[in-house]
Amino acid sequence: PAIADKAGLVNVHRWQNDKDGVQGFSYPAYRALEGPDLFEGGLVAFNGRGLSLQGKGAPELVFGMLVSGNYFEALGVRPALGRAFGRGDDRRGTAGVVVLSDSIWQRRFGGDPGILGAPIRLNGHSFTVIGIGPPRFSGQFVGFAADLWIPLSWAPAMSGQADLLENP
């Protein structure tokens, strides 16, 4: 509901073969496609995965989306509190930042606005909460409700695959 132009969204995949069917793109392929302005509103990259959330209560398995720095901007989504991250937050070596969904903010953190600026741990790594998504926004796919979003630059640390952002 919070996406500004739903009709303008497209999901881009590559066709592998009849056996493997539709596949995603590698990060280097995404970088090559996002540069030439092929997509009017911008091209975003994403990868969803289960993450262990620690902080304020028992550890919990949550569904996290690792997304490119332009994710919120390209979707036209503004956080209800705080800020979304941008391209500057999505560089390797930058401090971990996270945007929580309204749903997990309410359920896990009691809707406390004091969570902004507070640390949480995801898969053992420290992240600072910088924003809370708008109510009823859970990502770009119906049926895949994200609990939180972190910059894609954290994909190697979250997956344990050191070359994830370089492997074509």
Side-chain angles (χ1 to χ4, degrees):
I3 296 176
D5 179 19
K6 292 172 211 45
L9 291 180
V10 295
N11 196 8
V12 181
H13 292 281
R14 65 183 172 89
W15 179 258
Q16 182 73 16
N17 56 46
D18 286 335
K19 180 182 170 206
D20 297 328
V22 175
Q23 301 289 311
F25 286 93
S26 67
Y27 187 72
Y30 157 73
R31 296 290 296 170
L33 287 171
E34 71 143 353
D37 291 333
L38 294 174
F39 300 93
E40 185 177 315
L43 181 66
V44 299
F46 59 89
N47 181 288
R49 64 181 54 244
L51 300 171
S52 173
L53 168 65
Q54 302 100 26
K56 264 209 163 177
E60 175 182 359
L61 180 63
V62 298
F63 184 66
M65 291 293 289
L66 291 92
V67 298
S68 54
N70 65 332
Y71 179 82
F72 291 99
E73 178 187 354
L75 292 179
V77 173
R78 294 176 185 250
L81 288 174
R83 69 172 181 91
F85 44 77
R87 292 183 189 271
D89 295 310
D90 189 22
R91 282 185 283 205
R92 291 186 95 169
T94 58
V97 292
V98 59
V99 174
L100 302 175
S101 71
D102 179 76
S103 172
I104 201 165
W105 176 54
Q106 296 292 339
R107 181 180 55 75
R108 174 85 184 216
F109 301 100
D112 178 7
I115 193 69
L116 288 177
I120 63 169
R121 295 189 71 75
L122 297 168
N123 286 11
H125 298 275
S126 184
F127 287 81
T128 300
V129 178
I130 61 166
I132 308 297
R136 298 180 44 219
F137 177 71
S138 60
Q140 77 278 17
F141 286 118
V142 173
F144 293 97
D147 293 307
L148 52 86
W149 298 268
I150 62 175
L152 194 60
S153 60
W154 278 86
M158 296 293 110
S159 70
Q161 295 174 274
D163 70 341
L164 192 63
L165 297 180
E166 290 84 28
N167 188 345

